[in-house]
Amino acid sequence: TEAAGLAGQDHLFALTDAIIAHDAPAALQLIASLHAQSKDMARLCEELIGHFRNLMLFQTMQDPGTLVAAGAAERAEIARQAQAFTLTAVLASIGQLQACLEAMSASSSRRVEMEMTVLRLCSPELAVDVPSLLRRMEQLEQTVKRVQIRASASPAPETQPAPAQP
């Protein structure tokens, strides 16, 4: 991993955990650390796309083992992270990362492109592309459903009989 200039699974898990936690400062600090270690930002983006692909496979397949090259501990971690996302969120994230990779070829700073994308992944309200908007709509729908379930589960207030007329 070191010789190839790869970030490695531990960094991908840490970066994904920061995204799950919506912890932009931690994610940006990790990117800064990787940049200081001379990690190529385009390669990091490619690795993160591959990681989110694994999350997608774990969400959609009964046994993704044939398509995901990882040890038992890594599989358990991928499964844990996959549960933290909706499939819509994973697909939107892959789309944003692929757009980032494309933008890097025309950008004067790959690091800035990567930082902006990870910031959008940590703070979905900043993203304005269609998949991200769909992701936000899905989150709103889930919130409305939870509120409706809570409202229907709580007992109705008892009605007080009208006071007797004198």
Side-chain angles (χ1 to χ4, degrees), residues 39-114:
K39 303 298 181 193
D40 179 40
M41 293 293 107
R43 185 69 185 136
L44 173 61
C45 190
E46 290 171 353
E47 288 179 78
L48 204 52
I49 289 169
H51 182 67
F52 273 81
R53 173 191 173 267
N54 290 344
L55 298 178
M56 175 187 70
L57 294 175
F58 266 75
Q59 286 188 348
T60 57
M61 298 180 68
Q62 287 282 19
D63 181 20
T66 59
L67 298 176
V68 177
E74 288 175 338
R75 286 176 193 265
E77 187 66 5
I78 293 168
R80 179 191 66 80
Q81 288 185 336
Q83 291 176 357
F85 290 98
T86 64
L87 184 57
T88 303
V90 171
L91 296 175
S93 298
I94 292 170
Q96 288 181 10
L97 289 164
Q98 288 178 330
C100 174
L101 193 57
E102 290 173 19
M104 283 181 178
S105 64
S107 177
S108 61
S109 176
R110 291 178 171 185
R111 177 182 180 178
V112 171
E113 290 294 335
M114 189 68 195

Side-chain angles (χ1 to χ4, degrees), residues 26-45:
L28 293 173
Q29 185 58 47
L30 184 55
I31 290 171
S33 173
L34 292 169
H35 187 265
Q37 296 171 35
S38 299
K39 303 298 181 193
D40 179 40
M41 293 293 107
R43 185 69 185 136
L44 173 61
C45 190

Side-chain angles (χ1 to χ4, degrees), residues 143-157:
T143 302
V144 168
K145 285 178 186 176
R146 282 193 301 269
V147 168
Q148 289 173 337
I149 290 170
R150 284 187 204 136
S152 66
S154 62

